[in-house]
Amino acid sequence: TTATNLTSWTEFGDGGNSVNQEATDKHGGNYSARIDYVNGGANDIATGHWPTFTEATWKADYQYCIDAVHAKWPSAKIYLGKSYRAGNEPNPSRLITLVGWIDDLVVANPGVCFGGIDTRTIYTGHQSAAYGGSEPYYLVDDVHPNHAGFILMSDAWATLLGY
């Protein structure tokens, strides 16, 4: 993901609705972007990617995205979320490692970066049946939310932001 793509988040596999539309449908009103949400890491822990990078390299790449967003929108709050990956990933310690690195980036960027939602708390156990999940299913696979998953994500955002 490049910084130019971080202003619009399109739902995977379920009609192309944006998270802002999901929030509007669920909570009413018009949700315009006042924040940027970066939720990286789920693909990085997949077999074949891990460990093709070092902690320093991963953080530098993530910091590049933070710097690009901050340069373009200096007053925007940047929330760093925590990804979820289930099913085919045999080593959950990888995700725990990345969560720690994300926390480090929040600390390293005071006043710019803030802790975002933790999708692990939303989706654990509810990935698609093909990946060992149970109903209700909130993911279309082991990573990407379906419509119900995006509704839950908008609820988590509303709670985090005090709505």
Side-chain angles (χ1 to χ4, degrees), residues 6 10 14 20 25 34 39 50-51 63 66 70 76 78-79 86 95 97 99 108 110 115 125 134 145-146 149 161:
L6 296 177
T10 301
D14 194 29
N20 286 344
D25 290 348
R34 294 173 297 216
N39 191 33
W50 188 276
Q63 185 66 53
I66 293 166
H70 184 62
I78 302 171
Y79 287 84
L95 188 55
T97 297
V99 163
S134 59
N146 60 21
L161 297 174

Side-chain angles (χ1 to χ4, degrees), residues 86-89 125-135 137-143:
N88 67 352
E89 189 49 59
H126 296 285
Q127 61 274 12
S128 71
Y131 290 91
S134 59
E135 292 188 24
Y137 302 116
Y138 299 134
L139 302 176
V140 296
D141 51 18
D142 66 328
V143 179

Side-chain angles (χ1 to χ4, degrees), residues 51-117:
T52 60
F53 49 84
T54 65
E55 176 180 357
T57 300
W58 191 90
K59 285 181 178 179
D61 289 347
Y62 214 107
Q63 185 66 53
Y64 176 84
C65 292
I66 293 166
D67 293 343
V69 170
H70 184 62
K72 187 161 184 163
W73 299 283
S75 63
K77 292 182 177 181
I78 302 171
Y79 287 84
L80 303 184
K82 295 174 179 152
S83 297
Y84 176 71
R85 184 176 198 104
N88 67 352
E89 189 49 59
N91 191 343
S93 67
R94 295 175 183 176
L95 188 55
I96 293 167
T97 297
L98 287 184
V99 163
W101 296 352
I102 291 166
D103 289 340
D104 292 346
L105 288 167
V106 170
V107 170
N109 292 277
V112 174
C113 291
F114 304 86
I117 62 172

Side-chain angles (χ1 to χ4, degrees), residues 4-5 8 15-16 20-21 28 37 68 74 78 86 95 106 123 128 136 153:
T4 56
N5 292 330
S8 176
N20 286 344
Q21 184 62 49
Y37 177 55
I78 302 171
L95 188 55
V106 170
Y123 301 133
S128 71
M153 189 182 293

